[in-house]
């Protein structure tokens, strides 16, 4: 029910009884009637928010009162109070056990009835207000503190005890996005609740802890003491969470920061813990990252980038490099991938690895991606006008850019503006973006394909999709990084997997581009398994625009 609920549901098979009760209550309440439990359940499923109390007869045909109470419990409708009207005191115990709120003996005295109803409704509303107040500063899934309350509590602690030592722990759940994309709401809640319970249990090992859930899979824990003093907690927590699924244990990732200055904001403290956590992610097999002074430099570097990025975009400091792709059979170049570089006036060329992850976190990637797409469209137009007959160029689409609900219209708008065939602008989408939100992706991919774009799944195999998911993914081209096999798996096993991915792609008529090809041996192997296109240093490194344009001219000459 909601806080304004004002409907009484009368459940009784005798029309006369219902009429008597209705007469007494209808001045103050809206009345709904049901002849048996089944009808009542139906009405509740539709009007539960409005109903402030149910008046329930016990003996009825079709579904009696006890069965109704059982069904109500099964469906989780427990927050709607029920007053049972009965002639037998015997039944009361059963009903109480099933969650009835109050009793009235039959025949019902109208004045007592009125009092009882008012009473139950009042109590219900007080409970509801308490609940609302509780939810204002507690997370509804885990019942831990939410972000607002956490901030408040941490600030207060720092103010009251500024001279103590503190350690901040930022905790995340590895692969949470992927895991949760396979779960329904109830499973997500059950899992988060399980994690919250383990945090509560393990936090007994901490000194004066404050903890809560900030959002999604991000939890903050503050404890007194140095970083070494929280290790027992971290171990116990990971062990506890392992029990959730013993066959596929869920890994936690921790970032630790020892508070240097208690006047910092909670955001600044846990921001540092977050940097430590992200650094740790580069070291597989180790799930705890510690913040140290060198990361302060990283923080400064990031701040510098953030202060410069917009001006850099306006000044044209972001430029595309082009890495040609080659047909494996004849070694001829066919199209390319546009890769961004930051041509910094003081620092020289900066690699995308140094700024893309940051831009994905602060949202600037939306602007940069759009800029690159437009840049490539305008170059394609220039090349066409110059009679160069360009092959397709692919651009990268960050997973974050996929959050833009207008992305399809934006891309269509660009190819229209420059009047180019959408098939010339290929779109590279990373596999993990797809696996995060398959339904949303499916819709966007289909609309882009209908508009004539060619969709490539980038980094296939580095994430979580199995061979099996291949058939459900509607992309046009598969890009596989050869590196993911050579680094993860030993020799022949990796090769066998790559060979079977390529074979399966061939069955599905999916062309494959293998990227990261660096040597003759890899090339030979790929020839043997029927790969279509290659991209890699062995053939060509990413090159500046002028060099790529020369290549376009020579290719045109040789093919003419
Ligand atoms: P990616 O899309 O997987 O691009 C391929 C990366 O592999 C490029 O790195 C390329 O230079 C590199 N590479 C190509 N051949 C070889 C090889 O034989 N060996 C090795 N070791 N590496 C090779 P780059 O240019 O540093 O780009 C890194 C990543 O940054 C890209 O990975 C892509 O995810 C992202 N990126 C680049 N430009 C953009 C952009 O305009 N927008 C977005 N959203 N992301 C971009
Ligand atoms: Ca790419
Ligand atoms: Ca790639």
């Amino acid at each position: 029910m909601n806080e304004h609920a004002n409907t009484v549901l009368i459940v009784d098979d005798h029309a006369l009884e219902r009429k008597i009760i209705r007469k007494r209550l209808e001045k103050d309440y809206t009345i709904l009637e049901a002849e048996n439990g089944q009808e009542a359940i139906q009405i509740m499923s539709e009007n539960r928010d409005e109903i402030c109390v149910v008046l329930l007869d016990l003996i009825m045909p079709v579904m009696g009162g006890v069965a109704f109470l059982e069904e109500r419990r099964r469906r989780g409708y427990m927050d709607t109070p029920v007053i049972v009207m009965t002639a037998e005191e015997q039944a009361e115990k059963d009903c109480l056990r099933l969650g009835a709120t109050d009793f009235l003996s039959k025949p019902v005295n109208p004045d007592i009835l009125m009092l009882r109803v008012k009473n139950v409704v009042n109590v219900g509303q007080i409970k509801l207000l308490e609940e609302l107040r509780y939810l204002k500063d507690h997370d509804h899934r885990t019942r831990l503190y939410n972000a607002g309350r956490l901030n408040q509590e941490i600030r207060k602690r720092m103010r009251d005890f500024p001279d103590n030592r503190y350690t901040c722990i930022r905790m995340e759940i590895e692969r949470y996005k992927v895991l949760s994309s396979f779960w329904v709401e109830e499973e997500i809640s059950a899992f988060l609740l399980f994690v919250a319970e383990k945090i509560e249990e393990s936090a007994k090992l901490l000194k004066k802890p404050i903890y809560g859930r900030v959002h999604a899979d991000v939890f903050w824990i503050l404890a007194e003491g140095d970083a070494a003093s929280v290790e027992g907690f971290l171990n116990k927590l990971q062990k506890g969470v392992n029990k959730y699924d013993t066959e596929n244990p869920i890994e936690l990732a921790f970032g630790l920061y020892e508070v240097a200055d208690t006047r910092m904001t909670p955001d600044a403290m846990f921001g540092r813990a977050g940097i430590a956590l992200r650094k740790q992610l580069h070291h597989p097999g180790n799930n705890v990252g510690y913040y140290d002074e060198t990361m302060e430099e990283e923080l400064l570097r990031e701040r510098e980038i953030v202060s410069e990025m917009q001006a850099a975009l306006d000044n044209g400091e972001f430029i595309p490099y082009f890495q040609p792709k080659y047909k494996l059979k004849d070694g001829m170049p066919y199209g390319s991938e546009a890769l961004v570089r930051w041509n910094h006036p003081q620092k020289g060329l900066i690699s995308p690895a140094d700024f893309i992850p940051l831009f994905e976190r602060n949202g600037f990637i939306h602007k940069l991606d759009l800029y690159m797409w437009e840049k490539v469209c305008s170059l394609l137009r220039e090349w066409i006008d110059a009679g160069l007959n360009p092959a397709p160029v692919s651009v990268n689409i960050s997973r974050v850019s996929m959050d833009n609900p207008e992305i399809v219209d934006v891309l269509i708008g660009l190819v229209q503006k420059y009047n180019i065939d959408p098939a010339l602008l290929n779109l590279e989408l990373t596999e993990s973006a797809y696996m995060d939100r398959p339904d949303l992706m499916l819709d966007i991919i289909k609309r882009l394909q209908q508009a004539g774009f060619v969709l490539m799944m980038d980094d296939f195999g580095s994430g979580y999709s199995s061979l099996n998911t291949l058939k459900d993914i509607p992309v046009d081209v598969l890009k596989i990084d050869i590196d993911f096999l050579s680094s993860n798996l030993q020799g022949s096993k990796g090769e066998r997997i790559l060979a079977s991915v390529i074979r399966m792609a061939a069955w599905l008529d999916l062309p494959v581009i293998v990227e990261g090809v660096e040597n003759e041996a890899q090339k030979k192997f790929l020839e043997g398994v029927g790969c279509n296109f290659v991209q890699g240093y062995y053939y060509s490194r990413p090159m500046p625009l002028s060099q790529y344009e020369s290549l376009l001219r020579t290719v045109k000459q040789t093919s003419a």
Side-chain angles (χ1 to χ4, degrees):
M1 75 175 170
N2 67 40
E3 67 220 273
H4 310 294
N6 195 39
T7 299
V8 175
L9 171 59
I10 306 169
V11 192
D12 200 314
D13 54 328
H14 293 291
L16 186 64
E17 297 269 3
R18 294 202 303 271
K19 196 168 167 193
I20 296 170
I21 299 173
R22 170 189 276 276
K23 273 211 108 114
R24 184 64 183 89
L25 295 178
E26 69 189 351
K27 232 177 35 242
D28 300 298
Y29 300 93
T30 310
I31 306 293
L32 288 173
E33 295 182 24
E35 281 185 26
N36 56 56
Q38 203 169 25
E39 259 185 51
I41 286 287
Q42 178 63 30
I43 292 175
M44 276 183 90
S45 70
E46 288 158 11
N47 308 284
R48 208 152 60 84
D49 247 13
E50 308 308 320
I51 298 174
C52 59
V53 65
V54 178
L55 299 177
L56 182 71
D57 182 24
L58 276 191
I59 319 274
M60 293 177 291
V62 186
M63 183 193 277
V66 172
F68 167 87
L69 287 172
E70 274 165 354
E71 183 63 15
R72 159 176 171 263
R73 183 156 74 174
R74 206 180 59 75
R75 292 184 178 225
Y77 294 172
M78 298 304 281
D79 55 345
T80 313
V82 176
I83 300 178
V84 173
M85 308 178 289
T86 171
E88 331 156 41
E89 279 174 21
Q90 279 272 304
E92 289 190 6
K93 216 155 84 207
D94 277 344
C95 295
L96 268 182
R97 191 174 46 77
L98 287 167
T101 321
D102 200 355
F103 296 93
L104 275 172
S105 45
K106 274 194 157 183
V108 171
N109 172 328
D111 292 327
I112 292 183
L113 168 79
M114 188 65 192
L115 283 174
R116 291 285 177 83
V117 167
K118 277 217 168 108
N119 197 14
V120 164
V121 171
N122 282 343
V123 169
Q125 271 162 356
I126 289 168
K127 271 206 196 123
L128 202 69
L129 285 175
E130 277 170 356
E131 175 77 7
L132 287 176
R133 213 168 294 143
Y134 180 83
L135 284 180
K136 204 167 63 64
D137 46 43
H138 290 78
D139 166 42
H140 72 281
R141 285 207 205 259
T142 62
R143 309 245 130 195
L144 300 182
Y145 287 159
N146 63 15
R149 180 70 179 271
L150 260 177
N151 262 285
Q152 223 175 314
E153 293 290 326
I154 294 168
R155 280 174 201 272
K156 183 169 176 324
R157 177 70 60 83
M158 298 289 160
R159 224 176 25 237
D160 295 349
F161 303 97
D163 300 325
N164 287 344
R165 275 186 99 163
Y166 297 96
T167 295
C168 299
I169 307 168
R170 182 183 165 108
M171 181 191 117
E172 295 182 15
I173 294 155
E174 292 199 3
R175 301 176 59 220
Y176 175 75
K177 274 194 179 163
V178 179
L179 289 171
S180 59
S181 71
F182 292 111
W183 289 339
V184 297
E185 280 295 303
E186 287 80 28
E187 287 170 302
I188 295 177
S189 282
F191 171 67
L192 289 173
L193 202 62
F194 180 86
V195 172
E197 277 166 11
K198 295 300 155 201
I199 292 179
E200 275 182 314
E201 280 170 33
S202 314
K204 299 203 176 92
L205 298 178
L206 295 173
K207 195 168 167 206
K208 300 221 266 165
I210 299 174
Y211 48 85
R213 172 169 169 254
V214 183
H215 61 83
D217 62 325
V218 179
F219 294 81
W220 286 5
I221 302 124
L222 177 85
E224 272 184 24
D226 59 10
S229 72
V230 307
E231 258 165 38
F233 163 78
L234 303 181
N235 288 333
K236 182 163 177 175
L237 181 53
Q238 176 67 67
K239 281 211 189 93
V241 170
N242 281 347
K243 291 187 192 129
Y244 191 76
D245 180 351
T246 46
E247 276 175 24
N248 306 292
I250 287 168
E251 296 271 334
L252 305 175
F254 300 103
L256 267 56
Y257 170 63
E258 283 184 19
V259 177
D261 180 349
T262 50
R263 286 165 305 178
M264 284 160 80
T265 64
D267 270 334
M269 295 173 191
F270 282 89
R272 283 170 169 78
I275 291 179
L277 190 150
R278 287 198 295 280
K279 278 270 165 328
Q280 165 270 313
L281 294 179
H282 297 308
H283 305 284
N286 170 17
N287 71 338
V288 188
Y290 297 87
Y291 185 85
D292 66 49
E293 290 305 314
T294 63
M295 295 179 196
E296 198 77 24
E297 283 164 31
E298 164 111 2
L299 209 63
L300 287 175
R301 200 184 60 82
E302 287 191 352
R303 247 181 247 154
E304 196 171 300
I305 292 179
V306 169
S307 71
E308 293 177 339
M309 61 193 186
Q310 183 63 51
L313 188 69
D314 298 338
N315 297 338
E317 289 172 26
F318 292 106
I319 55 171
Y321 263 47
F322 296 87
Q323 186 176 33
K325 299 171 183 177
Y326 294 80
K327 282 185 199 147
L328 183 59
K329 251 198 198 118
D330 56 10
M332 290 300 289
Y334 182 74
S336 65
E337 172 175 8
L339 294 158
V340 69
R341 301 286 180 267
W342 184 344
N343 190 12
H344 195 283
Q346 282 90 44
K347 300 174 192 156
L349 275 193
I350 307 178
S351 137
D354 291 336
F355 54 84
I356 297 262
L358 174 60
F359 290 175
E360 289 186 330
R361 269 181 272 127
N362 68 17
F364 192 69
I365 193 71
H366 285 284
K367 288 189 184 178
L368 181 61
D369 267 2
L370 179 63
Y371 179 84
M372 286 290 287
W373 306 337
E374 172 142 25
K375 186 82 201 162
V376 168
C377 286
S378 82
L379 284 169
L380 282 166
R381 180 77 257 156
E382 274 179 38
W383 297 335
I384 295 168
D385 290 343
L388 287 175
N389 191 22
V393 177
S394 64
V395 292
N396 288 285
I397 299 189
S398 160
R399 56 205 295 151
V400 178
S401 291
M402 293 297 276
D403 292 338
N404 177 359
E406 259 124 55
I407 184 164
V408 177
D409 296 331
V410 166
L411 285 161
I412 293 176
L414 279 177
V415 291
Q416 282 172 349
K417 177 171 171 193
Y418 292 93
N419 187 24
I420 54 172
D421 182 350
L424 279 181
L425 186 72
N426 294 354
L427 309 174
E428 295 195 6
L429 201 73
T430 117
E431 179 204 357
S432 47
Y434 182 88
M435 295 309 289
D436 281 353
R437 299 169 294 183
D439 292 347
L440 178 76
M441 288 296 165
L442 224 77
D443 175 59
I444 295 180
I445 289 175
K446 283 192 184 138
R447 280 158 57 211
L448 287 169
Q449 283 170 330
Q450 267 161 20
F453 291 100
V454 172
L455 268 291
M456 301 188 170
M457 174 146 304
D458 207 352
D459 307 325
F460 184 80
S462 61
Y464 316 102
S465 47
S466 63
L467 283 180
N468 227 345
T469 57
L470 213 53
K471 60 183 190 319
D472 305 320
I473 299 175
V475 294
D476 306 293
V477 179
L478 222 51
K479 284 191 85 170
I480 306 170
D481 197 322
I482 203 164
D483 187 52
F484 102 86
L485 291 177
S486 44
S487 61
N488 288 347
L489 300 158
Q490 290 309 308
S492 63
K493 188 174 180 205
E495 292 186 350
R496 273 207 309 278
I497 293 182
L498 181 52
S500 56
V501 172
I502 294 175
R503 205 165 43 239
M504 185 145 168
W507 286 334
L508 299 164
D509 275 332
L510 261 184
V512 170
I513 302 177
V514 174
E515 58 182 335
V517 181
E518 287 183 348
N519 57 49
E520 177 76 20
Q522 290 171 333
K523 178 194 159 194
K524 280 264 145 61
F525 165 73
L526 292 172
E527 278 170 345
V529 296
C531 158
N532 314 82
F533 295 94
V534 282
Q535 181 183 343
Y537 295 169
Y538 181 71
Y539 291 86
S540 168
R541 292 194 172 243
M543 55 180 76
L545 173 63
S546 57
Q547 203 179 329
Y548 186 61
E549 287 183 333
S550 317
L551 182 75
L552 280 180
R553 284 190 204 99
T554 48
V555 173
K556 186 172 180 281
Q557 273 162 19
T558 50
S559 62

